[in-house]
Amino acid sequence: MKIQSAPEQVADAPVKTGFGRKAKAYVSLTKPRVMELLLVTTLPTMIFAQGGFPDVWLMAATMIGGALAAGSAGSFNCYIDRDMDKLMQRTENRPLVTGEVTPREALVFSWILGIVAVVLLWFGANPLAGMLGVGAIFFYVVIYTLILKRRTAQNIVWGGAAGCFPVLIAWAAVTNTVAWPAVILFMVIFLWTPPHYWPLSMKYSDDYNAANVPMLGAIASARQVSVQVVLYAWATLACSLLLAPVGGAGWVYTIAALLGGGWFVYESHRLYSLAKRGTETVETTNKSAMRVFHGSISYLTVLFLALAVDPFVGGPVFAAL
C-alpha cells in the first residue's frame, strides 16, 4: 500500500529529545484515547460471544492485537494529515508537527505496529480475526483518511466504520465467525459515530475550516447539524435494542440500552432545541455540543459494560417471555 506523502512544509527535521519524551511522542501517534474507546468495545463483545470469560491468552492476543491495529491506523493518520494538523489548534502539538518524530520514523513505526497487530490476531486468535484487523487498518487509513476526509462532509459517516471493526474482530476471535449479534454491535457503533463526532466538530469548526476539511459540524449551521445528531441518536437507540430479539441479550444489557440510549437521545434533543431557537450564543451551543460529545462516550461505555455483565445475570429477554 502506497501512502501519499503530505507536503513537506511540515517540520521534517528531527528535534533532539530524551528517551522518555521520544517514547511519549510515539505513544501520542497512536491516539491512545481513541484506542481506549475501541478496547472498551472489544472485551465485552468477547465475553458476550463466549457467554462467559474466554481463554486468557485469547483475550490478551485479541486485546493487544486490536490495540496495536488501532495504534497503527492512528499513526498512519498522523503521518498523512501532518500538513493539516499544523493548521489546527487542536492538533498543532502532535509529534509530527513539533518535529519530535520525523515522517520517516512515523511511517516505519506505523508499518511495524500494523504488521505485529495482524500477526498477533492471526496466530493468537485465528486468520479471520487477522483479516478483519487488516480491514480495519485499511478502512481507516485509505477509505477515510486518504479518500473521504478531505472530500466530503459525510466523511465521518462512512470512515467511522473503521471504528466498528473491533467488535467484529472480538466476535471472530471467540467464534471464528461473524454472526448477526456482531453485525448489530457493528451497526450500533456505526450509527453512534456521527452524533459522537459531529458535536466535537461544531466546537472546532474554525480549525476544520482553516485546514479546509469539510466536516459537517464545521460547514453546516448548528441547526442542521443538531437535526442529524438527533436522527442518528434515535437510530443508535433503536439498533441497540435489536440485540435482545436477534442476539439473545438479557435484561442487564436491555435496560442499559433503554436508559443510556434514552439519555443520549435527550441530550441530542437538548442540543437541537438550543440550535433551533437561534438566540443562544455560539459559546452556549458549543458547550451543549461538548456535553453530547462527552456524554456519547459515557453512553457507549455503559452499554458495553452492561454487555459484559449480561451473560452472568439471568438469561435472554425473549427466552423469558
Side-chain angles (χ1 to χ4, degrees):
M1 180 174 63
K2 185 177 180 180
I3 303 299
Q4 180 180 352
S5 176
E8 294 303 321
Q9 65 266 30
V10 181
D12 286 354
V15 172
K16 291 184 179 180
T17 59
F19 176 80
R21 187 174 173 185
K22 190 78 168 182
K24 186 177 179 181
Y26 275 116
V27 171
S28 178
L29 286 177
T30 67
K31 300 186 177 182
R33 294 184 69 180
V34 175
M35 187 190 301
E36 288 172 10
L37 190 59
L38 297 179
L39 292 179
V40 162
T41 67
T42 301
L43 184 57
T45 302
M46 294 185 74
I47 293 172
F48 186 78
Q50 182 70 41
F53 285 104
D55 177 77
V56 173
W57 293 111
L58 178 62
M59 287 191 291
T62 306
M63 293 287 284
I64 296 171
L68 293 178
S72 172
S75 184
F76 273 123
N77 176 267
C78 288
Y79 170 80
I80 296 164
D81 284 350
R82 65 190 190 276
D83 61 325
M84 71 168 63
D85 282 348
K86 76 167 190 174
L87 302 175
M88 301 169 62
Q89 278 189 330
R90 190 170 65 90
T91 56
E92 64 184 3
N93 291 318
R94 284 181 175 172
L96 280 163
V97 178
T98 62
E100 292 171 292
V101 176
T102 68
R104 179 179 175 81
E105 289 172 336
L107 189 57
V108 171
F109 178 66
S110 303
W111 278 108
I112 291 174
L113 285 185
I115 292 169
V116 173
V118 172
V119 169
L120 266 176
L121 291 171
W122 191 290
F123 295 102
N126 52 59
L128 178 57
M131 287 186 286
L132 288 169
V134 173
I137 297 171
F138 177 84
F139 213 95
Y140 189 72
V141 176
V142 178
I143 304 299
Y144 172 62
T145 306
L146 285 174
I147 298 177
L148 296 174
K149 186 172 183 177
R150 308 189 192 210
R151 290 180 172 86
T152 172
Q154 296 298 308
N155 48 23
I156 202 65
V157 176
W158 302 106
C164 311
F165 271 82
V167 296
L168 299 184
I169 293 171
W171 195 275
V174 172
T175 67
N176 202 22
T177 62
V178 175
W180 279 112
V183 174
I184 291 171
L185 292 172
F186 178 99
M187 288 304 301
V188 167
I189 302 173
F190 178 80
L191 294 168
W192 165 88
T193 301
H196 160 69
Y197 199 84
W198 279 336
L200 180 70
S201 66
M202 289 173 66
K203 178 177 174 61
Y204 292 101
S205 59
D206 289 343
D207 271 0
Y208 286 111
N209 287 326
N212 200 29
V213 178
M215 200 66 68
L216 185 68
I219 64 174
S221 69
R223 183 170 181 174
Q224 289 174 310
V225 178
S226 60
V227 167
Q228 294 297 312
V229 168
V230 167
L231 292 175
Y232 272 100
W234 273 107
T236 304
L237 170 59
C239 187
S240 69
L241 294 174
L242 287 177
L243 198 63
V246 177
W251 286 107
V252 173
Y253 170 85
T254 304
I255 291 172
L258 274 170
L259 296 180
W263 178 72
F264 186 31
V265 167
Y266 168 78
E267 289 295 340
S268 300
H269 273 281
R270 186 170 178 271
L271 173 63
Y272 171 70
S273 296
L274 287 173
K276 182 182 178 181
R277 287 203 298 265
T279 58
E280 305 295 334
T281 64
V282 173
E283 183 180 354
T284 301
T285 304
N286 285 345
K287 184 176 180 181
S288 180
M290 291 305 292
R291 183 181 174 92
V292 175
F293 170 74
H294 291 297
S296 67
I297 297 174
S298 299
Y299 158 67
L300 196 72
T301 301
V302 168
L303 186 71
F304 275 85
L305 285 176
L307 185 72
V309 173
D310 199 72
F312 303 101
V313 181
V317 170
F318 279 81
L321 297 179

